[in-house]
Amino acid sequence: MSDTPTCDAELDASGLNCPLPLLKAKMELNRLASGAVLKVTATDGGSQRDFRTFAKLSGHTLLHETAEAGTYTYWLRKA
């Protein structure tokens, strides 16, 4: 059993370069209800900084993140 959060929606932004993973995540979060969790998968190394900064500035919560073999996964809870 993994300790990763459950999610209400998933976004695969693999192969997209900065800032597209973040822009797509923002659009997806706009669709979700407050408190919903979005799981984002990206392959852009710059996305780590982007998602951390975005969470701080937007008020959304970065619940968890993983980086494995060039794949970055984020769980964001909508504010």
Side-chain angles (χ1 to χ4, degrees):
M1 181 88 185
S2 69
D3 60 353
T4 53
T6 56
C7 60
D8 300 292
E10 289 192 48
L11 171 67
D12 185 359
S14 300
L16 299 176
N17 291 326
C18 176
L20 285 173
L22 192 57
L23 289 175
K24 287 192 172 288
K26 278 176 154 167
M27 287 167 56
E28 193 67 22
L29 282 166
N30 287 341
R31 286 189 334 100
L32 298 173
S34 182
V37 176
L38 173 65
K39 176 184 173 185
V40 182
T41 305
T43 50
D44 178 20
S47 67
Q48 284 186 298
R49 183 192 62 242
D50 290 350
F51 276 92
R52 288 172 190 158
T53 303
F54 169 66
K56 276 195 194 99
L57 296 176
S58 67
H60 302 310
T61 307
L62 184 57
L63 297 173
H64 189 69
E65 64 176 285
T66 61
E68 203 173 307
T71 299
Y72 305 91
T73 311
Y74 309 94
W75 286 262
L76 287 160
R77 173 172 286 131
K78 183 170 178 174

